[in-house]
Amino acid sequence: MAKFVLIGSGLAGGLLAAYLGRRGYEVALYERRADPREGNMVGGRSINLALSTRGIHALEQIGIADEVLKHAIPMRGRMIHPAGAEARTIFAPYDVDPNKHINSIGRAALNTTVIEAAQRYPNVHVKFNHKCTGVDIDSPTAQLLNTSTSQPLSASADRIIGVDGAFSAVRQSMQLKIGNFEYDESYLAHGYKELTIPPGPNGGWRMEKEALHIWPRKSFMMIALPNPDGSFTCTLFWEFEGPRSFATTKTDDDVRRFFEEEFPDAVPLMPNLVDDFKNNPTGSLVTIRCAPWFYKDKVALVGDAAHAVVPFYGQGMNAAFEDCVVLDECLAGFPEDRQRAFAEYFQRRKANADALADLALENFIEMRDKTASRTFRAKKKLDHFLEAALPGIYMPLYTMVTFTRIPYATAAHRARIQDALVYAGLIVAMILLVALAIRLLR
Ligand SMILES: Cc1cc2nc3c(=O)[nH]c(=O)nc-3n(C[C@H](O)[C@H](O)[C@H](O)COP(=O)(O)OP(=O)(O)OC[C@H]3O[C@@H](n4cnc5c(N)ncnc54)[C@H](O)[C@@H]3O)c2cc1C
């Protein structure tokens, strides 16, 4: 059987290793970090994530969805915290069907589960503390550094898959070697910082547990996702620079003042606010688009390595998991022609990854600005009304992206048509109403 070397045992790396292991391939998975089971997961990435239909489907295929969902907390809608000390929270369900929800899941627990799923196959070998420093994409051979012993080593294989995240070393090697490799990275002017709302005195949740909390503040926002231990992980998305920004918020008083002005209901729940703010890293938010995602029948990219997106649709991991399903299908579809399998995988995923990148950027504006507006909430209600009235015909964009496996590009296209029809319908209805009113007045 062919040998695969995988670089990166993050969320997609572990899952892909399980898929390849199941097909009987020899798999060697190299991860630069220590084993997450040793409890020292570092990196400043989100502590919890929203897992939805696409991701769950990918986990189901390998038989670990129930195991993962055991630790998940359902989030049935958005809990909006409007500005102002006296403002009351507003709950907006994600779907007309109250059973449809997204799931808050811990990154470390999920990472461990997918790695353990891969390790159930005796043909999968995971090596932690091995950093890839480059790839000879022709042989193909990965150059590695054992970070425990500082020993360099190399790993040859029939194919190498880069599952090494947004700043992929495998992708960089492809960029150097492939003449017409397309590459684009763009950063938001906003960064993010994680903060904590600890559990209440009896270990309970100090806000509504089954919701994704949002404090929309037009140009910035804070969100909070529940954790199984009764805490919430909050993420502040805020400008790096500017008169009010990460850059200008330096002293303890600056931090307190900003939070008391903007998130007064959250402050009493955040006893470690100032320390968290000072000690936790400020992450950047990048969108990466590149092409192609493969080189001959030798190298391919999966997950963030191929298409990092900003986190505002809660789909980066879900899309990375969907990549694993599609790559597995393509490898099974063309067992004798791996280049065709990689090409097919790229062809099926690229337009969808690009569509998701755009949707994720648009959703930042929706979350930080529009969720606070009455017009937006009215549009959501209309969406839900039409979804209930026209089942299977009308589906809101959020529903298609989050609760179905309709390809992202198809969902975006379908939503544009639906919106155009709804707006046209509303204009016609308005004209008819005005005409009727004029007639009655006469
Ligand atoms: C703040 C934030 C919130 C998010 N929230 C959500 C959400 O709610 N829902 C969702 O679906 N997605 C979310 N995402 C996106 C999600 O985190 C990513 O899409 C997902 O982690 C991608 O998985 P991956 O395996 O491709 O990459 P990663 O999870 O980044 O894994 C890459 C792995 O490769 C390893 N690695 C890197 N370089 C090397 C090297 N040179 N040698 C060896 N190993 C290497 C890394 O250590 C890591 O373990 C969020 C992202 C952020 C930043």
Side-chain angles (χ1 to χ4, degrees), residues 245-278:
S245 64
F246 282 118
T248 54
T249 307
K250 296 203 171 83
T251 66
D252 294 4
D253 279 348
D254 290 343
V255 176
R256 260 186 237 108
R257 197 176 318 116
F258 169 66
F259 274 80
E260 274 160 12
E261 278 170 22
E262 297 295 347
F263 314 117
D265 61 333
V267 172
L269 311 178
M270 302 171 94
N272 308 321
L273 169 64
V274 174
D275 285 343
D276 281 356
F277 193 93
K278 286 196 300 195

Side-chain angles (χ1 to χ4, degrees), residues 33-55:
R33 291 185 187 153
D35 190 333
R37 288 161 291 194
E38 290 167 10
N40 50 358
M41 205 157 160
V42 287
R45 297 290 294 283
S46 61
I47 290 163
N48 52 21
L49 305 115
L51 173 69
S52 51
T53 298
R54 294 165 204 268

Side-chain angles (χ1 to χ4, degrees), residues 1 12 29 40 52 55-56 68-69 121 140 177 200 214 221-222 232 255 334 365 404:
M1 255 309 201
L29 176 54
N40 50 358
S52 51
I56 295 170
V68 168
L69 288 171
Y121 298 96
K177 175 80 189 186
I214 310 181
M221 68 173 178
M222 184 165 81
F232 285 85
V255 176
F334 303 96
I365 299 166
T404 77

Side-chain angles (χ1 to χ4, degrees), residues 77-82 87-93 212 214 371-374 377 381:
R78 294 162 165 166
M79 185 66 82
I80 313 292
H81 298 244
R88 306 241 324 250
T89 53
I90 304 157
F91 181 73
L212 189 153
I214 310 181
T371 48
S373 92
R374 276 176 212 270
R377 290 200 297 274
K381 283 192 180 142

Side-chain angles (χ1 to χ4, degrees), residues 150-182:
S150 300
Q151 287 297 310
L153 67 149
S154 58
S156 296
D158 298 296
R159 354 236 152 245
I160 293 181
I161 313 275
V163 217
D164 49 346
F167 303 101
S168 165
V170 180
R171 188 186 64 229
Q172 279 167 25
S173 298
M174 289 169 71
Q175 235 176 311
L176 290 174
K177 175 80 189 186
I178 303 172
N180 54 355
F181 191 82
E182 288 169 27

